[in-house]
Amino acid sequence: MEINHKQQQVKEWFDRIYRTKGFSYLRAQPAYEIFTSLLKVKPGKKHLDIACGLGLMLKTMADRGLQCYGIDISDEAVTRAKKYCPEAIIKVANAEKLPFPDNTFDYITCLGSLERMFNREKVIREQLRVAKTSARFCFMVRNSEHFIWRFFLRPFGLDNKKGHQDALNIQEWISLFESCGLTIDRITRDHWPYYKTLSILWPFTKIDTSRPLRFLFPVSWSYEFIFILKKS
Ligand SMILES: C[S@@+](CC[C@H](N)C(=O)[O-])C[C@H]1O[C@@H](n2cnc3c(N)ncnc32)[C@H](O)[C@@H]1O
């Protein structure tokens, strides 16, 4: 795998974070259910998770009967993801150069990661290359206009530079996706803050975290956006 100096820094930062924090760095397994509903996944289909981290999305899809593949730039993530989700085929790779043939996947997910990548156009075009014509894509990306990002993280330099934390506003994300050849099916907000709050308030109640919701607040207020897309 060829990576430049900046990407090497990101890789090393994630290797360290997974070694020291493990799963506690990421959201809990039920948080990943929502993506399966938004994508309306069907068993037997092929799924690729870009920047799969510790394999939580892969596990969720494998449990729903999909054939799962993942890549991540961090060796530590891949070693751990292989243990967590042995059903999936997981490789160390840079999202800018995917180790898969053209026209392979029915679903591609890329969660909390695109904003950390340096050449986002190249990353999206690689996903388009390996996706089937009918494929559906799901990205979860950070909003630069959320008050936390705008008034705390950026002005005080608290964003994580070694992990290349970044954000764009909703219009910038839309332009990026559309200019690369994707059509937007749906934009919604990250559901996990809501479901997590419910599970704290009612710890003994079973909450269906896969149910898409309609929120009262405008989507542009969310901390992270979920985009569902298809090839143009
Ligand atoms: C915040 S974590 C999200 C992990 C996972 N998607 C999840 O939601 O559980 C971001 C991930 O992006 C990976 N990453 C960053 N840049 C990458 C690149 N250029 N190619 C592949 N993976 C990358 C990191 O190693 C890390 O595992």
Side-chain angles (χ1 to χ4, degrees):
M1 178 183 61
E2 271 177 39
I3 52 173
N4 62 31
H5 174 67
K6 280 184 180 169
Q7 278 168 332
Q8 180 65 24
Q9 216 178 21
V10 172
K11 175 204 158 335
E12 284 170 13
W13 189 83
F14 274 104
D15 280 343
R16 196 164 44 251
I17 212 77
Y18 289 133
R19 256 196 311 272
T20 52
K21 295 200 173 165
F23 282 100
S24 70
Y25 171 68
L26 299 168
R27 44 185 72 196
Q29 182 76 60
Y32 296 80
E33 291 290 339
I34 191 67
F35 307 110
T36 65
S37 312
L38 292 169
L39 281 167
K40 303 188 177 100
V41 300
K42 295 198 180 81
K45 300 277 184 186
K46 278 193 175 166
H47 162 238
L48 171 63
D49 192 28
I50 305 287
C52 63
L54 301 181
L56 289 140
M57 186 65 218
L58 292 169
K59 187 78 186 156
T60 307
M61 291 291 225
D63 287 349
R64 295 198 173 219
L66 284 94
Q67 299 171 48
C68 296
Y69 297 74
I71 66 106
D72 200 287
I73 205 165
S74 153
D75 313 73
E76 188 67 30
V78 169
T79 305
R80 289 171 183 244
K82 281 180 176 171
K83 280 196 196 125
Y84 185 66
C85 186
E87 307 92 307
I89 294 171
I90 309 171
K91 302 182 185 194
V92 177
N94 182 352
E96 290 180 15
K97 197 166 188 303
L98 297 173
F100 302 106
D102 297 359
N103 202 20
T104 304
F105 298 101
D106 300 286
Y107 305 104
I108 299 188
T109 50
C110 182
L111 310 174
S113 307
L114 186 63
E115 59 266 33
R116 297 182 180 271
M117 294 175 187
F118 294 96
N119 191 338
R120 293 174 192 144
E121 286 84 2
K122 200 168 172 190
V123 167
I124 296 170
R125 288 186 203 285
E126 261 300 86
Q127 295 184 30
L128 283 158
R129 178 183 69 73
V130 300
K132 292 182 182 169
T133 314
S134 59
R136 288 168 66 80
F137 301 76
C138 176
F139 289 87
M140 185 170 71
V141 287
R142 196 179 298 252
N143 177 12
S144 63
E145 286 184 3
H146 188 272
F147 74 93
I148 294 182
W149 184 262
R150 220 167 138 188
F151 299 117
F152 297 98
L153 295 182
R154 263 278 152 81
F156 295 103
L158 298 174
D159 49 316
N160 162 13
K161 295 188 183 58
K162 286 195 178 143
H164 193 237
Q165 201 176 39
D166 197 10
L168 299 179
N169 68 30
I170 194 163
Q171 206 45 57
E172 290 167 332
W173 284 119
I174 292 173
S175 305
L176 173 68
F177 291 130
E178 291 184 340
S179 68
C180 289
L182 285 164
T183 297
I184 295 163
D185 247 10
R186 179 166 185 178
I187 310 173
T188 181
R189 60 191 302 150
D190 177 15
H191 285 41
W192 185 235
Y194 172 79
Y195 280 132
K196 196 173 165 187
T197 310
L198 280 192
S199 63
I200 292 167
L201 293 176
W202 289 283
F204 303 111
T205 310
K206 171 103 184 81
I207 298 161
D208 177 7
T209 57
S210 70
R211 201 160 58 87
L213 301 167
R214 299 222 169 268
F215 293 95
L216 290 177
F217 298 117
V219 74
S220 57
W221 290 13
S222 39
Y223 188 55
E224 289 183 275
F225 305 120
I226 302 175
F227 280 82
I228 303 295
L229 309 111
K230 57 189 178 198
K231 280 187 175 183
S232 299

